[in-house]
Amino acid sequence: MTRYLVHPGSQLKGRFPVPGDKSISHRAVILGALAEGVTEVEGLLEGADVLATIAAFRTMGVEMQGPDRGHLRIQGVGLYGLRAPGVPLDCGNSGTAMRLLAGVLAGQNFPSTLIGDASLQQRPMGRVLRPLAAMGAEIAAQDGKAPLQIHGRPLHGIDYALPMASAQVKSAILLAGLYAEGQTCVTEPAPTRDHSERMLQGFGYPVERQGPRACLRSGGQLHGQSLQVPGDISSAAFFLLGATIAPGSDLTLEGVGINPTRTGIIEILTRMGARIDLTALRVVGGEPVADIRVRYAQLQGIAIPAHLVPLAIDEFPALFIAAACAKGQTVITGAEELRVKESDRIAVMASGLRAMGVIVEERADGAIINGSLLQGGRINSQGDHRIAMAFAMAALVAQGDIEILDCANVATSFPNFPALAHQAGLLLEVVGA
Ligand code: S3P
C-alpha cells in the first residue's frame, strides 16, 4: 500500500505548470470521440480517471493515438458511430466517467455495463438514473449504485430541474439530450462547472444558455477540434494551500484554469487573508486561464458563504487544512455533497485533523474547525486522492512527521504530485509504492 511520509519545516518556492484539468480532459475525450473528424488534444491529464474514459471509448471502437505527454489524437466516429463494447466498461475511481458515460450510453442502440472500484460502487447513481429514466432510458442498478446495466433505448427530451448542484448530473442529461427526440433542458439550483456547455459549443453544437438553464436539441453534429486543456485549479489548490500556510513560501503556478465556476478556492482563501495574485490572464481552449502567484500569509477563520461551496466543491480537503491553520474558527455549511465524493470528505477530514490535535465539530452539512497548532501523526486518507494531497501539505507546518496511508489514488487526478511537490520544497517521501 502506497504511503507518504512527509517531514515538516520547509517552504514552497518556484514557478511551474500544474497538470491538465480533469473535468475538461474527460469531456475532451468524450466529445472528441463523438465528433465528426479528428480532434487533437494538448495538455490532457494522463491521470487514471481520464485513462478510464479513454479505454472505454477504445473498447467502443474509437481509435486514438496517445496520450503521450498530454497529446491525444482522437479519430471521432460521430454521434452514431460507437460500437457495442461486449465487455463491461471499467470507470475505476471516477464518478465523472461513470455519470457522463451513462448519459452517452443511455440512448445508444446497444447494451452496455458500467463498473467501478469499491469507492465508486458506493456512490449514488440514482441522481443520474432518475432523469435518464424520465427521458426513456432503461438502466438497472443495485439500490441506485453501480454496476449499471444500460439497455440502450430511444430517448425523448425533458425539462429537468436538478435537485442538487451537480455538474456531472447536468452533463449526463445534456449528453443524453444529444440523442433524445426534441429539446432537453436542465436548470441548476446553483452555478456548477460549465465545461460541458462551453465545450459542446466549442465543437460547434448549439447550446442555449440563460442564467441557470441550459438547453440543446438533438439532430446536430459535433465537429472535431484542436484544443488545449488548461491546468487544473483543483490540483493547483494543494499548492495554493501549501504556499499560503508555510512561512517564506512564494510560488507561481502557470496556465491554471480560472473558469468562474471553479474559482471558489481563490475567493475563499482570499477572504481568509491569503495573498494570491492572478497575472497573464488569457483564454485557452474556450476557458479563462491565468498564472497564479501565492505567498505566505496568516489566515483568519471565516464562515464560508454557502453560495461558494459548489464553486470550490473539490477543494474542501485543502480548505479544511487551511481552516486548521487559521486563527480562530472556520464554519463550513451547505456542503453535504462532500459526503458522497471519493470518500465521505467531512468525516475523513475531521478524523484526520483530530489525529493532528485539531478540535473539529462535524455537522451533517459541514464542520466547525478551530485553528490550532498541528501535531504530527498518522492519517488514513481512505484511498481519497484529494485527502492524501491536502494532508501532505499540512505537514509543512506540523510539529512532527505526518504519515499518510492509502495514497495510490493520487494517480487518479495528479500522477506527478509527489515529484512536483518535492521539487517545490515539500519534504515528501513515497513509501511502499
Ligand atoms: C465534476 C463535477 C463535480 C466534481 C468532480 C468533477 C465534473 O462532481 O466534484 O470532481 O467533472 O463534472 P458533482 O457533479 O458530483 O458535484
Side-chain angles (χ1 to χ4, degrees), residues 22-23 27 96 99 127 165-168 193 313-314 341:
K22 179 156 71 75
S23 292
R27 288 157 172 81
T96 308
R99 295 191 178 116
R127 53 180 59 197
S166 167
Q168 292 178 357
R193 64 193 69 196
I313 192 65
D314 289 337
K341 294 295 177 190

Side-chain angles (χ1 to χ4, degrees), residues 219-298:
Q221 274 189 350
L222 298 160
H223 302 286
Q225 295 294 313
S226 287
L227 70 101
Q228 168 83 38
V229 178
D232 197 329
I233 191 166
S234 297
S235 296
F238 302 105
F239 289 92
L240 297 180
L241 166 71
T244 293
I245 62 176
S249 296
D250 185 352
L251 203 58
T252 300
L253 305 163
E254 296 169 335
V256 182
I258 51 159
N259 179 315
T261 59
R262 296 286 298 281
T263 45
I265 177 73
I266 295 176
E267 169 88 26
I268 295 167
L269 284 178
T270 302
R271 285 178 185 226
M272 294 175 78
R275 208 171 159 199
I276 298 174
D277 297 299
L278 306 190
T279 54
L281 272 69
R282 55 216 189 255
V283 173
V284 168
E287 295 274 349
V289 160
D291 296 342
I292 305 182
R293 182 174 182 196
V294 51
R295 284 170 276 185
Y296 165 76
Q298 173 62 55

Side-chain angles (χ1 to χ4, degrees), residues 156-174:
H156 50 83
I158 48 167
D159 192 342
Y160 191 71
L162 284 172
M164 75 290 287
S166 167
Q168 292 178 357
V169 180
K170 172 176 65 174
S171 302
I173 296 167
L174 290 174

Side-chain angles (χ1 to χ4, degrees), residues 206-227:
V207 180
E208 233 179 82
R209 302 178 66 185
Q210 235 176 22
R213 187 172 159 92
C215 299
L216 55 73
R217 287 184 174 278
S218 58
Q221 274 189 350
L222 298 160
H223 302 286
Q225 295 294 313
S226 287
L227 70 101

Side-chain angles (χ1 to χ4, degrees), residues 307-393:
H307 77 270
L308 292 177
V309 169
L311 310 179
I313 192 65
D314 289 337
E315 283 60 80
F316 276 86
L319 286 169
F320 270 70
I321 304 292
C325 297
K327 279 207 174 101
Q329 226 173 39
T330 295
V331 181
I332 300 171
T333 51
E336 59 280 351
E337 279 293 307
L338 296 178
R339 295 208 179 267
V340 292
K341 294 295 177 190
E342 287 82 328
S343 70
D344 175 343
R345 287 185 173 158
I346 296 176
V348 179
M349 285 308 302
S351 90
L353 283 177
R354 286 190 194 112
M356 298 180 79
V358 179
I359 297 171
V360 185
E361 188 186 318
E362 220 188 286
R363 295 277 175 87
D365 69 339
I368 300 175
I369 301 157
N370 293 280
S372 68
L373 271 186
L374 304 183
Q375 308 300 316
R378 173 183 280 184
I379 310 293
N380 193 333
S381 76
Q382 302 289 354
D384 186 324
H385 55 137
R386 300 202 198 280
I387 288 182
M389 291 185 274
F391 278 106
M393 290 298 178

